[in-house]
Amino acid sequence: MRKILLFTLALSIFFVGCKKEGVYNPKEKIKRVYYERGLDASTKRLVEEWTWEKNNLVKIDYYDDNYGIIKIDYTEILSYDDKNRLTRIQDFVFNERYEITYDKKLISKIELYIDNELYQIMNFKYDRNKIVEVSVIEIDNSKILVSKSNKPQSYISKILPYEIPENTMRTKAASLSYIYTFEYDGDNLSKVKYIDDDNRVREYNYENYDKYKNPFYSSRFISNNIESGFSKNNVGKITTTTIGNTVRTTEFEYVYDGKFPIEIIERTTYSGSDLIWIYKTYYEYQ
């Protein structure tokens, strides 16, 4: 049976994970991802292709549309430890490498290396099993900016429990630091704050949770946005207040075939504008 649900999740919600971070046992495996702009079917194109070895995702090919010619732009390789936890994400085109460290069952640190030099450190703090703070240090801001401006995306964006603001890496030329704090209403996330080293704040508010159980609760390591794995129920609305006091509202409409989504429509609006930004993503499973 096909049904449409309105709530905000993220790309990697398509796994049902166990409670041990970094380890998951998907019931369905993504094979290909397609992207479409403005609900215009003529713009639909292949953007990702995933390769699996048993239950481990080991490679993602990212595709680029060069004047109608679809070809691989770059590839990320994913590595695991002897406990089957994801420990490294690496590409050899942009020469980026993420190293993921655990403290027992929980992620304690993620490090970003560019050209084999350390440029970013993310440290995680918990209250019992809930993340309450992530502190980020960028050691060489200018080089990260160059790399991130060139590389469209990374699988790391699917496992980080927050969104990095676009202007984060543009404020200073040298090292900088910032933190994220997380607040909960019972078992559901209610607020995230981004605070930079000039004490400027960006807020993300989560509300209108439904009564349905979030099947990705406790699968936080494979979640993109915090709401997909960190709340027991499904959020209906996310409102973001930027440093410049612009308000952004985002909702996602999901089309399910059984328990797994096959289409996602994302609608985003901004205060002071009547425009609606609409994007659609399609998923194929193997």
Side-chain angles (χ1 to χ4, degrees):
M1 179 179 66
R2 293 163 64 92
K3 56 184 178 180
I4 297 178
L5 299 178
L6 272 173
F7 53 88
T8 305
L9 291 175
L11 174 62
S12 55
I13 64 173
F14 314 115
F15 305 102
V16 178
C18 64
K19 292 181 180 297
K20 184 185 295 183
E21 296 199 33
V23 180
Y24 55 91
N25 298 297
K27 302 299 183 183
E28 296 281 348
K29 299 181 179 71
I30 294 174
K31 179 63 178 177
R32 295 182 183 91
V33 182
Y34 298 83
Y35 181 76
E36 175 182 304
R37 297 191 307 273
L39 303 183
D40 179 357
S42 67
T43 67
K44 181 180 177 181
R45 66 180 181 86
L46 176 66
V47 292
E48 297 178 19
E49 190 163 21
W50 294 27
T51 300
W52 299 80
E53 290 182 0
K54 296 183 178 179
N55 282 334
N56 284 342
L57 175 62
V58 296
K59 184 177 74 169
I60 303 178
D61 292 320
Y62 295 89
Y63 287 80
D64 182 41
D65 184 354
N66 187 11
Y67 299 101
I69 300 175
I70 307 299
K71 61 181 182 64
I72 295 176
D73 189 19
Y74 58 98
T75 297
E76 288 190 324
I77 305 298
L78 290 76
S79 302
Y80 299 80
D81 64 11
D82 57 3
K83 296 182 180 180
N84 209 34
R85 300 177 302 188
L86 180 62
T87 55
R88 176 179 292 181
I89 304 167
Q90 186 168 16
D91 83 82
F92 298 96
V93 174
F94 296 93
N95 205 18
E96 285 189 4
R97 183 177 83 252
Y98 289 91
E99 300 284 353
I100 302 160
T101 303
Y102 297 83
D103 181 6
K104 297 180 181 178
K105 294 183 179 181
L106 301 176
I107 305 165
S108 59
K109 181 171 61 176
I110 300 177
E111 296 175 317
L112 166 62
Y113 293 82
I114 302 176
D115 295 333
N116 292 319
E117 296 184 42
L118 178 61
Y119 286 100
Q120 188 180 74
I121 304 171
M122 292 163 271
N123 292 298
F124 293 74
K125 291 184 179 180
Y126 297 81
D127 181 1
R128 296 183 180 179
N129 65 336
K130 294 180 180 178
I131 290 179
V132 294
E133 182 179 300
V134 177
S135 59
V136 184
I137 300 173
E138 293 179 1
I139 298 171
D140 187 331
N141 181 42
S142 58
K143 185 147 190 175
I144 292 177
L145 175 58
V146 171
S147 174
K148 292 304 180 185
S149 297
N150 293 329
K151 187 173 182 178
Q153 61 178 316
S154 169
Y155 185 73
I156 197 70
S157 67
K158 301 173 181 58
I159 63 177
L160 289 178
Y162 48 78
E163 169 193 4
I164 297 177
E166 295 178 356
N167 66 345
T168 297
M169 293 176 285
R170 292 169 170 77
T171 57
K172 295 182 179 180
S175 301
L176 73 152
S177 61
Y178 45 95
I179 66 171
Y180 289 87
T181 62
F182 306 96
E183 299 177 18
Y184 300 84
D185 181 6
D187 290 326
N188 292 321
L189 184 72
S190 60
K191 180 177 293 186
V192 177
K193 287 185 179 181
Y194 156 78
I195 307 170
D196 68 14
D197 54 359
D198 291 323
N199 208 34
R200 297 179 301 175
V201 178
R202 171 182 287 203
E203 286 192 3
Y204 306 81
N205 289 284
Y206 300 77
E207 56 187 323
N208 298 345
Y209 284 90
D210 64 21
K211 62 181 180 180
Y212 298 98
K213 183 178 179 180
N214 177 5
F216 314 103
Y217 183 51
S218 295
S219 302
R220 60 189 49 164
F221 183 58
I222 55 168
S223 302
N224 183 6
N225 290 331
I226 188 83
E227 67 277 357
S228 53
F230 287 70
S231 294
K232 186 175 182 178
N233 305 111
N234 302 308
V235 69
K237 181 180 179 181
I238 298 179
T239 304
T240 304
T241 304
T242 69
I243 291 174
N245 291 322
T246 298
V247 177
R248 180 184 69 193
T249 302
T250 302
E251 292 181 332
F252 292 74
E253 181 178 320
Y254 288 74
V255 178
Y256 279 77
D257 187 358
K259 295 182 179 180
F260 294 89
I262 56 174
E263 299 177 9
I264 301 177
I265 299 175
E266 176 184 349
R267 292 180 172 87
T268 300
T269 58
Y270 292 84
S271 58
S273 173
D274 294 328
L275 296 176
I276 302 176
W277 280 261
I278 303 176
Y279 303 96
K280 190 172 184 177
T281 307
Y282 300 83
Y283 300 89
E284 290 182 2
Y285 300 87
Q286 66 179 36

